[in-house]
Each structure stands twice: as C-alpha cells, then as structure tokens.
Amino acid sequence: MKTLRLLLGDQLNSQHSWFDEVNPDVTYIMAEMRQETDYVKHHIQKVVAFFLSMRNLSDELTKQGHQVVYYKISDANNPQNLEQLILDLVEKNKIEQFEYQLPDEYRLDEQLKSICEKLSIPTKAVDSEHFYTSRTELADFFKGKKQLLMENFYRMMRKKHDVLMVGDQPLDGKWNFDHNNRNQYKNEVPIPFPLEFHKNVSEIVTEIKSQNITTFGSIDRENFSWPTSRNESLQLIDYFCEYLLAHFGTYQDSLFSGHNFLFHSRLSFAMNSKMISPKEVVDAVVSYYYQNQETIELAQVEGFVRQIIGWREYVRGIYWKEMPNYAKMNALENYNPLPEFFWTGKTKMKCMQHSISQSLTESYAHHIQRLMVIGNFSLLAQLHPDAVDTWYLGVYIDAIEWVEMPNTRGMSQYADGGIVATKPYVSSGSYINKMSNYCGSCHYKVKEKLGEKACPFNSLYWNFLDEKKQHFANNQRMSMMLALLRKMKPEELAATKEKAITILENMENL
C-alpha cells in the first residue's frame, strides 16, 4: 500500500519505530512552510534552528534509504500550507493511505483532523513516541480532584518510572530538594564555557530573508551554536553531565549578568524538537550521578529530573486538558499593551534590560529570567496575556505552544486563575536583588518605593496587590501579603499607587 507519512518540524525523532524498516512504498513528507513561520513573529534563530534540524533529519533518513519529499521555504513549488501540501501529494503520487504522528499543538491537531476528513483514503494517527505520558494521563490522574498540584503528579511519575527511587520511597528519603536550589551565584565556582557548534548558516538565513519572512532578534550567521542534529544533541547531554551537573541544582534559580547560561543544560530545544527524548536525558543524568556520587550531590540531580519528568510532562498534560479555552483566559483582566522595549531591550531597568537583551541575542533565557524578571514585570504592569503569550512564543528557541502557554499564561501571568500556580509569581525588587547581581549597577534604587529613582517593581507590586485583592481574597497563599497591604497607612498606599500609575502611564520611558 502506497503510504504518505507526515513529519512536522518538531517531530524530528530519528529513533521513532516508523524508521525501523525501509519500505519503498512509504514516502515521508517534510516541509518548511509560511504557515508555520507566520502564525506569530519568530526569532530568526528559532526559524533557522528548526529548518536546519529538519534538513539534517531529512538527509539522515535519505541516507538510510527512506523515501523523503522535502520542501525548502524557498522552493517555487512549495504550497506553504499543510492542507494543500498533503492533498496535492496524495493525488500526485496516488497515495493509498495517509499517516501522521499526533501533533503537540492544538491548532495542528485540529487542522490534521480536518485534512483527514477531506481525504478519501484511510488515515492513521500514531504516537510521537517521545513523552513519558499520554495526552490524557494528567487529566486521568487528577480526575475528581480540585487542585492539580504538580508535586503529587511528580511523585507519581517518579514511582511509575522508577527514577531516583528505592522501592516505593525516594532515594535518601526526600522527594524534593527545592530549598537547596535557590542560591545566588557569587563566583564561588567557575562557570564552564557553553558547548557550541559554530556552524555557518548564512545560506539558510539568506533563504529566509529572500521570502520576506518577518523575524526579530539577532543571529551570528557564521557561528550558530544551537544543536541541530541528534549527534550534537547527544554531545550536549554528555557535556551537561560532565561539566555542569555538579552545580546545576545549587544555582538553577540564580540570575547573573556575567554569564548567559550559568549551569543550565540548554537541552530544551533538542528535546522540544524531539531530536532526543526526555527519557534519554533523565537516564543519562541519573546514570552519571550514580557513577559520580562522590562529586555530585543528589540535590543537583533531583532539581533537574523534577524539571523534566515533573514540570515538562505536567504542563503538557495541562495544555491538553484545558485547550482550547486555555488560550483565551484572562482571569485577572489585564489589558495593557506590551512596551516597545520588549523588542529592543532598551530600558533603564537592569534586570529587564539584561534578560530581554539576552533573549533577543540568544533566543534563550533560563526559567527564572522568564518567570521572575520578564514575567514578573509583565504581570505587575498588567500586560494583556495575549501579548505576553505571543512574545514568549516567538522569542524563545524552545517555545512550542504546548510548553510555552501553560508556563506563560498559567505559571507566569496567572491568567488561568490558578489552574497551574497556586498563587501569582510576583515580587518587589527585593527578590531580584536577592537572586542576582543586577540591582547593584541599575539606574533605579532597589530599596526605594517612591521618588524618581525608585525601583519600578516596588510600587507596581503593591499597586498590583491592591488592584487585584478581590481576586485573591480566598487564596490562603496570598493571605500574608494581603494582611501587609491592609496594614499600610492610607497615605503611604495612596503615594505608592500614584507612583505606580505614573509608571504604567509612562512605560515606554522606563
């Protein structure tokens, strides 16, 4: 039976069972499409990384003997649309069956269902063979429960997959070392240089620009450093284990202007494009730990494992449980527009300047920069979650909607009303000062609430609590902060709010 199999840009799993046998009657289709480059404005490095990784997989499959039809973005006969692409190939090649791997974005899931309905041949959807969980496993696990606590899900995952366990108990008797993962980096230990691959991508950048695709951010065309093949991704795992793991957990929440990556693995793009699997990563890290327990503490490893089998699988489950309504949620009724400095990094706030500029330069920021700097400001400034969502989805190389949206709209912006987070992740400047070296060289004064040089986070924080207090009236985790708000002298609160309103009305000048 002549079969057409679709591979999407984030389905680059060369280990998939589809490829176990070479079958001349099976044709694989891969395509770089305007449909995917244009649904939001993407960072140039993100577009390059996906296209280059797709081309590398196509070449690998072709060398193995598989039949691959590949459309580059600049090919004159590229339909640039998934539906037209599939319908044309089915007719042209007299295809008798169409198969695809379940996509991880709701919009593509719906589109593929629609396409299959239009085909007059049998169709089949198979698993991508990537995640630890199915789409519905989280929803099944929390069925009948009011709160979707990640910690409960995480413990189930540890038990089910026997990760860092002794029988049915956690290794060393403790599930979570989060309190060990909150240290500020102060040059105690040297930070190794990141592993980079130094590829010349000038040709592919020229192709993208020739099609007038709108992108943003910068790229070093002659030294593109992200992994774009399975081999490079595996090298990155080994590098993380050998050089970064020993201090990862200790400084995973730290902010430091002297180094963009600290001890983070930079594996998220490789995983989210499926060049490597989460199980491969976890197994490699846990195995390395067991072989090097004299130099690596359990807290370093558990913090990493929690991010992958806990948080990563959790947010995917939330996405499939709550979509499509999740994409429209704005529980706190925030409507302010995104300031221009999100696209330029030009602001006097050192923490925002560094985090945004790094995002624009590297197409990457680590989770605390995303959550407690950029996300914190976005929520305190009451920016519209649609605008924040779109920016995060476009700017980060690892951002695919299933992982980006619950992290942004849920964890960061609390727009889902508490489905993901039990409280909003907001703070005044004091948290940023505690976790970073940003504040010392900032134009603003982190300890001041009022006055021209007062840190904007301070007045915005108290204004946010006052503006949204009705939303949090029954939230136990917010009770202490709301009690402090009630104790503020009326004239102090009024002055603080007046300062915050001035900031909100003049965000472009911050």
Side-chain angles (χ1 to χ4, degrees):
M1 182 178 286
K2 292 188 73 174
T3 301
L4 180 68
R5 288 176 171 173
L6 172 69
L7 288 171
L8 296 171
D10 65 341
Q11 294 178 338
L12 309 182
N13 176 11
S14 63
Q15 308 303 295
H16 196 280
S17 60
W18 266 0
F19 311 124
D20 289 349
E21 293 181 3
V22 173
N23 186 338
D25 289 327
V26 174
T27 299
Y28 294 93
I29 174 62
M30 301 178 74
E32 304 162 8
M33 293 182 291
R34 291 299 296 259
Q35 171 187 310
E36 297 305 299
T37 60
D38 295 1
Y39 73 95
V40 295
K41 184 164 68 170
H42 296 286
H43 198 293
I44 181 62
Q45 290 188 42
K46 184 179 181 183
V47 181
V48 168
F50 273 102
F51 285 3
L52 190 53
S53 301
M54 290 166 67
R55 293 180 188 190
N56 285 336
L57 177 62
S58 174
D59 290 344
E60 182 182 343
L61 294 177
T62 300
K63 286 175 184 174
Q64 291 170 4
H66 297 286
Q67 306 296 314
V68 182
V69 174
Y70 193 97
Y71 286 96
K72 291 184 177 181
I73 193 70
S74 56
D75 287 346
N77 61 341
N78 186 341
Q80 304 291 353
N81 173 275
L82 187 58
E83 180 174 316
Q84 199 60 52
L85 180 78
I86 292 167
L87 296 179
D88 287 353
L89 281 170
V90 166
E91 182 179 354
K92 179 182 174 183
N93 296 341
K94 295 183 170 54
I95 297 296
E96 298 168 279
Q97 178 161 300
F98 172 65
E99 299 178 356
Y100 66 94
Q101 295 178 24
L102 288 170
D104 290 308
E105 289 190 306
Y106 183 85
R107 65 183 177 87
L108 287 169
D109 196 53
E110 291 295 296
Q111 187 180 17
L112 280 163
K113 287 176 185 174
S114 173
I115 292 168
C116 288
E117 287 175 2
K118 294 177 182 178
L119 292 172
S120 57
I121 57 174
T123 63
K124 182 182 179 183
V126 303
D127 192 81
S128 63
E129 301 176 10
H130 174 78
F131 295 95
Y132 278 93
T133 56
S134 69
R135 282 181 180 178
T136 62
E137 189 165 341
L138 176 135
D140 294 339
F141 176 74
F142 284 116
K143 195 170 184 179
K145 297 182 176 71
K146 288 184 178 180
Q147 282 194 311
L148 313 179
L149 291 176
M150 198 281 285
E151 182 67 22
N152 295 342
F153 177 79
Y154 169 54
R155 293 184 184 190
M156 177 276 288
M157 291 289 289
R158 288 267 299 272
K159 290 178 184 176
K160 179 176 178 179
H161 299 283
D162 193 26
V163 178
L164 299 176
M165 298 293 293
V166 178
D168 63 350
Q169 294 300 310
L171 188 65
D172 281 9
K174 191 174 179 181
W175 288 104
N176 191 311
F177 288 81
D178 189 42
H179 283 285
N180 299 65
N181 304 151
R182 301 175 184 176
N183 292 44
Q184 181 187 357
Y185 179 73
K186 296 179 180 178
N187 279 310
E188 299 93 327
V189 291
I191 299 172
F193 288 107
L195 177 64
E196 298 180 332
F197 299 100
H198 302 296
K199 290 164 288 194
N200 190 320
V201 295
S202 299
E203 189 175 320
I204 198 166
V205 172
T206 300
E207 282 183 59
I208 291 165
K209 293 191 179 297
S210 74
Q211 300 305 302
N212 296 316
I213 294 168
T214 303
T215 60
F216 68 104
S218 60
I219 186 168
D220 182 346
R221 296 178 179 216
E222 296 181 0
N223 292 287
F224 189 67
S225 63
W226 289 99
T228 53
S229 69
R230 176 169 171 79
N231 181 52
E232 289 175 350
S233 302
L234 292 172
Q235 288 180 53
L236 206 54
I237 296 174
D238 292 342
Y239 189 87
F240 173 68
C241 289
E242 187 171 352
Y243 296 104
L244 304 171
L245 179 60
H247 300 291
F248 168 78
T250 301
Y251 302 114
Q252 72 180 63
D253 284 3
S254 183
L255 302 156
F256 187 67
S257 61
H259 200 287
N260 288 338
F261 304 114
L262 287 96
F263 297 94
H264 292 272
S265 70
R266 295 167 62 244
L267 284 164
S268 51
F269 172 72
M271 279 196 291
N272 292 356
S273 60
K274 300 185 182 61
M275 290 187 289
I276 51 174
S277 75
K279 188 176 188 306
E280 283 180 293
V281 175
V282 168
D283 286 353
V285 167
V286 170
S287 175
Y288 192 87
Y289 164 68
Y290 282 134
Q291 294 168 33
N292 296 274
Q293 292 184 63
E294 68 283 356
T295 56
I296 299 176
E297 298 172 357
L298 179 58
Q300 315 299 331
V301 181
E302 187 278 323
F304 185 79
V305 166
R306 187 179 349 120
Q307 286 190 357
I308 297 180
I309 72 167
W311 189 250
R312 188 172 186 267
E313 299 285 333
Y314 174 82
V315 296
R316 176 175 179 256
I318 292 288
Y319 179 81
W320 285 108
K321 180 180 182 297
E322 300 296 336
M323 285 295 281
N325 292 334
Y326 201 83
K328 302 168 189 171
M329 289 184 173
N330 188 2
L332 296 181
E333 302 175 90
N334 291 335
Y335 298 103
N336 288 336
L338 214 65
E340 181 63 21
F341 59 73
F342 271 70
W343 305 103
T344 65
K346 294 178 180 177
T347 170
K348 296 188 289 290
M349 293 178 286
K350 192 69 174 179
C351 58
M352 289 288 282
Q353 181 271 323
H354 182 79
S355 298
I356 291 176
S357 294
Q358 177 184 315
S359 301
L360 296 171
T361 303
E362 305 286 355
S363 193
Y364 172 88
H366 74 67
H367 64 281
I368 296 299
Q369 289 172 310
R370 299 189 200 193
L371 176 66
M372 294 307 300
V373 179
I374 303 171
N376 186 11
F377 176 84
S378 300
L379 185 49
L380 294 180
Q382 301 175 43
L383 305 184
H384 198 302
D386 286 0
V388 180
D389 230 354
T390 299
W391 186 83
Y392 273 80
L393 184 57
V395 74
Y396 293 121
I397 197 165
D398 53 21
I400 302 171
E401 192 180 75
W402 68 266
V403 67
E404 174 276 325
M405 187 176 285
N407 271 294
T408 302
R409 192 172 291 259
M411 182 75 166
S412 171
Q413 298 305 292
Y414 203 79
D416 64 1
I419 293 172
V420 168
T422 52
K423 69 176 183 67
Y425 277 81
V426 289
S427 77
S428 63
S430 60
Y431 173 85
I432 296 169
N433 190 38
K434 176 185 174 185
M435 296 304 298
S436 78
N437 66 341
Y438 296 156
C439 300
S441 58
C442 186
H443 168 84
Y444 297 103
K445 304 299 181 187
V446 69
K447 295 185 178 178
E448 294 182 16
K449 281 186 198 174
L450 305 173
E452 192 178 325
K453 290 246 179 144
C455 173
F457 280 82
N458 294 338
S459 57
L460 288 176
Y461 175 74
W462 291 105
N463 179 66
F464 172 83
L465 290 180
D466 188 61
E467 291 273 317
K468 309 300 180 183
K469 59 191 174 189
Q470 296 305 320
H471 289 279
F472 306 123
N474 299 315
N475 188 319
Q476 283 297 111
R477 294 198 67 195
M478 294 295 289
S479 59
M480 182 183 296
M481 299 317 299
L482 292 178
L484 290 174
L485 177 70
R486 287 191 294 270
K487 289 179 182 177
M488 283 182 76
K489 295 177 181 177
E491 59 271 22
E492 182 186 356
L493 179 58
T496 302
K497 286 179 67 65
E498 184 179 346
K499 173 66 177 175
I501 291 167
T502 301
I503 290 170
L504 294 174
E505 290 176 348
N506 295 276
M507 277 198 286
E508 298 297 351
N509 299 316
L510 285 176

